[in-house]
Amino acid sequence: MNEVIQNMLDRHSCRSFTEQPIEKEKIDDLLTAALWAPSGMNCQTWHFTMITNVEKIQKLAAAVRKADNRPENYNFYAPTAFFIVSGERDNRNSFLDGSAALENVLLAATSLGLGSCWINQVRDVCDDPEVRAILTEYGVPESHIVNAAASLGYAAQPATVHERKENLVSIVE
């Protein structure tokens, strides 16, 4: 099978990470993957924030937990890196562009031997005052909404593989 397609098939959500930090070279590769994602009319109106400080990741997780009424153990699965893609509020392509960038990061992570998990809750509460203050402190532009986020790190255990549902494809000839 083609190695790119095989990488897509190998990518699964990781919900348990080790404490091993991700090497700077791999962080740079992940950010390069994000920067080269497609965007509507190539406007590239996104902003990427990569948090590699575990205490700062957990500070954000605690604010999201509070704003979204999550259980006490909610912690983004304790990653060693956390990636946020944000976009201009009034850009109708913002979520689509952000999703493409995040998918590039998730696939790049798999190719680099890293685990990843798409996290939606930051998007849902990005305008909560406490969450917004932390996002602003971390460099997310105030004029942006969070499109998507991901936990990243070395997997502590193999990811669960879920079968694909049936009857999801139509071919018109």
Side-chain angles (χ1 to χ4, degrees):
M1 178 174 288
N2 172 286
E3 66 185 74
V4 173
I5 295 172
Q6 186 60 56
N7 188 62
M8 291 175 189
L9 299 178
D10 290 342
R11 194 220 61 80
H12 303 285
S13 293
C14 174
R15 291 183 172 85
S16 178
F17 297 95
T18 70
E19 294 180 2
Q20 179 183 349
I22 300 173
E23 298 84 350
K24 182 184 181 328
E25 298 78 25
K26 289 185 178 183
I27 294 291
D28 291 343
D29 287 346
L30 294 170
L31 291 169
T32 297
L35 287 166
W36 282 91
S39 67
M41 298 184 345
N42 197 32
C43 288
Q44 302 175 43
T45 59
W46 47 42
H47 182 87
F48 305 121
T49 304
M50 181 70 79
I51 309 165
T52 59
N53 178 300
V54 172
E55 290 78 24
K56 290 182 178 183
I57 294 168
Q58 289 312 307
K59 178 180 176 182
L60 178 60
V64 170
R65 176 175 56 242
K66 179 180 172 188
D68 203 34
N69 296 311
R70 293 281 165 171
E72 193 60 36
N73 65 347
Y74 181 82
N75 64 0
F76 301 149
Y77 306 111
T80 55
F82 195 73
F83 176 76
I84 299 170
V85 56
S86 63
E88 297 174 346
R89 286 179 188 279
D90 58 354
N91 177 356
R92 70 181 199 86
N93 292 322
S94 183
F95 283 109
L96 301 171
D97 295 349
S99 295
L102 187 66
E103 180 68 4
N104 272 16
V105 169
L106 299 175
L107 292 172
T110 299
S111 75
L112 295 169
L114 301 170
S116 64
C117 188
W118 189 312
I119 304 290
N120 282 320
Q121 291 76 28
V122 184
R123 179 192 73 210
D124 296 338
V125 297
C126 71
D127 285 327
D128 173 87
E130 185 179 348
V131 173
R132 176 53 63 178
I134 294 168
L135 292 171
T136 301
E137 175 188 340
Y138 292 176
V140 176
E142 289 191 39
S143 62
H144 280 205
I145 54 173
V146 171
N147 298 137
S151 293
L152 301 162
Y154 286 95
Q157 58 192 26
T160 302
V161 177
H162 300 280
E163 294 299 318
R164 300 293 95 181
K165 293 179 181 179
E166 293 184 23
N167 302 315
L168 298 177
V169 176
S170 296
I171 298 175
V172 180
E173 296 180 351

